[in-house]
Amino acid sequence: MSSNLSFFAVPAAFWCAHWPHLYTVLFAGTYDNANPRALKDTLASTGSLDNERKQMFLRAKRASENGYETLGLFAAAIAAANQAGVEVSVLNRMAWGYVAVRIAYNFAYIRLGGIPGLHLLRTFFWVNSMFLSVGLFVAAGFKAKDAIL
C-alpha cells in the first residue's frame, strides 16, 4: 500500500473498544442511562440473566474498558510514527495489525473467556497489541535518530 491509512486505524481502534460496551448496553437489558457507570454492578447483581450470559456481558464490558485504556497509547504511537516519517508500509501494517489484534482480543475475551485455559489466548492478543503500539514508538525513535545523524 502506498497510501498512508494509519490515521484511519485510530477511529477503527476506538470502535473496537466501544462495540463491546454498546453490545452490552443494547442486549443485556440492564442499562440505566441515568446511572451509566453502575452497569457492571447492575449486571453482577441482576437476576434476569443466567450466569453464563451475565459473565459474558461482564467480560464484554471489561474488554471495552481495556480497549479504552490502550487507545491513548496507540493513538500517540500513530502520531509519533507519522511525525517521524516512518515508512508508510510499516505504519499501515503495524496500525492495522493493532486493530486486527484488538478484534481478536475482544472475541477471545468475550466469547472464549469462560472456557478454562483460553484466558491465555486473550493475554497473547493483549501482549501483541502492546507490542505493536510500543513498536510504533520504537520505529519513530529510530527514524528520528537517523534524521538527526
Side-chain angles (χ1 to χ4, degrees), residues 31-97:
Y31 185 70
D32 177 9
N33 198 43
N35 191 9
R37 297 234 179 211
L39 179 58
K40 283 193 306 187
D41 294 335
T42 305
L43 272 170
S45 64
T46 188
S48 65
L49 295 170
D50 63 62
N51 193 50
E52 186 176 324
R53 287 188 51 79
K54 184 187 303 188
Q55 291 304 314
M56 184 188 65
F57 285 126
L58 285 168
R59 288 191 305 272
K61 187 63 180 136
R62 291 178 187 126
S64 184
E65 290 169 351
N66 183 269
Y68 291 133
E69 290 164 0
T70 64
L71 184 59
L73 177 67
F74 175 65
I78 291 293
N82 272 284
Q83 179 63 29
V86 171
E87 292 78 16
V88 168
S89 64
V90 172
L91 272 167
N92 285 337
R93 282 194 312 268
M94 292 181 80
W96 289 99

Side-chain angles (χ1 to χ4, degrees), residues 64-134:
S64 184
E65 290 169 351
N66 183 269
Y68 291 133
E69 290 164 0
T70 64
L71 184 59
L73 177 67
F74 175 65
I78 291 293
N82 272 284
Q83 179 63 29
V86 171
E87 292 78 16
V88 168
S89 64
V90 172
L91 272 167
N92 285 337
R93 282 194 312 268
M94 292 181 80
W96 289 99
Y98 174 90
V99 172
V101 169
R102 290 306 301 187
I103 291 169
Y105 171 89
N106 285 341
F107 178 78
Y109 200 166
I110 297 165
R111 291 296 184 178
L112 305 178
I115 302 170
L118 289 184
H119 61 280
L120 294 175
L121 189 58
R122 179 191 81 217
T123 301
F124 171 79
F125 291 131
W126 182 86
V127 167
N128 278 285
S129 71
M130 291 299 95
F131 174 78
L132 289 163
S133 290
V134 172

